[in-house]
Amino acid sequence: MKHLKRIAEIRKQIESLKFEAEAIEPDAILEAFDILEANQSPNGKSLVFSDTNAKIVLVLRNRYDDKNTSVVRLNEDIDREYEKLCRSNATAIENNKAYIQEIQEMIEAAEAKHQTFLVSVYLETLRKQRSIALKKTEHKVPSLAVYLK
């Protein structure tokens, strides 16, 4: 039981270290900005730390504020215009949907016909034989599921 207990302890430490890393990440980001502002980057670019264990790069990702009032208003305007277009073109839209449905049914019929060219009794027999042969090679591989408290 010593190995099982050790795995549980290690997984618990990993989870604890993840929380610690998340807690200090904002300060680390500030430190990374300070390094870049002082032109002390090891490679002169966005690399802010490097040693034998790891390298750390400051990454800037674009994020958007969809709660911004002008964005919210534009979204509402877009929704209103879309609904207006749907109402004013309802008949044409319905006709087009029916036409699309008709074409999709034709495509499905053509695909079904296509599949008949790719089926034979011999092919099905080979697939069944492969399934039986594969089933004979089935074996269990042990692993551990670790749940942290």
Side-chain angles (χ1 to χ4, degrees):
M1 287 262 222
K2 73 177 189 177
H3 296 298
L4 294 173
K5 183 176 181 182
R6 184 68 182 133
I7 285 178
E9 290 170 353
I10 291 170
R11 294 288 173 97
K12 181 81 171 180
Q13 287 175 344
I14 290 170
E15 199 63 28
S16 173
L17 290 172
K18 281 183 187 177
F19 286 126
E20 184 179 344
E22 288 173 8
I24 66 170
E25 188 171 356
D27 292 332
I29 290 171
L30 291 174
E31 190 176 329
F33 275 117
D34 290 342
I35 289 169
L36 290 180
E37 285 177 2
N39 292 324
Q40 296 175 343
S41 171
N43 70 348
K45 297 182 183 174
S46 57
L47 182 69
V48 292
F49 177 81
S50 181
D51 69 3
T52 57
N53 294 320
K55 70 177 185 177
I56 300 175
V57 176
L58 179 64
V59 178
L60 300 174
R61 291 195 170 91
N62 290 336
R63 296 265 164 83
Y64 301 99
D65 181 11
D66 59 353
K67 306 287 189 248
N68 178 287
T69 55
S70 63
V71 173
V72 169
R73 263 184 273 158
L74 287 167
N75 282 337
E76 291 169 354
D77 292 345
I78 289 168
D79 291 343
R80 269 192 301 280
E81 181 63 17
Y82 181 80
E83 289 172 16
K84 177 183 155 191
L85 290 170
C86 286
R87 281 191 305 275
S88 66
N89 296 312
T91 305
I93 290 171
E94 277 306 311
N95 291 339
N96 202 38
K97 283 183 180 179
Y99 180 62
I100 290 170
Q101 180 64 33
E102 184 181 325
I103 292 173
Q104 285 175 334
E105 289 169 3
M106 290 170 58
I107 290 171
E108 288 171 9
E111 286 175 344
K113 185 176 180 181
H114 179 82
Q115 286 301 314
T116 63
F117 300 131
L118 302 173
V119 176
S120 74
V121 174
Y122 181 61
L123 179 62
E124 290 305 311
T125 303
L126 288 173
R127 286 183 174 151
K128 286 177 186 174
Q129 289 174 353
R130 181 190 62 194
S131 177
I132 292 167
L134 193 59
K135 185 73 173 165
K136 288 179 182 177
T137 68
E138 182 178 20
H139 61 284
K140 302 216 182 273
V141 178
S143 67
L144 299 174
V146 179
Y147 303 97
L148 301 177
K149 296 179 185 178

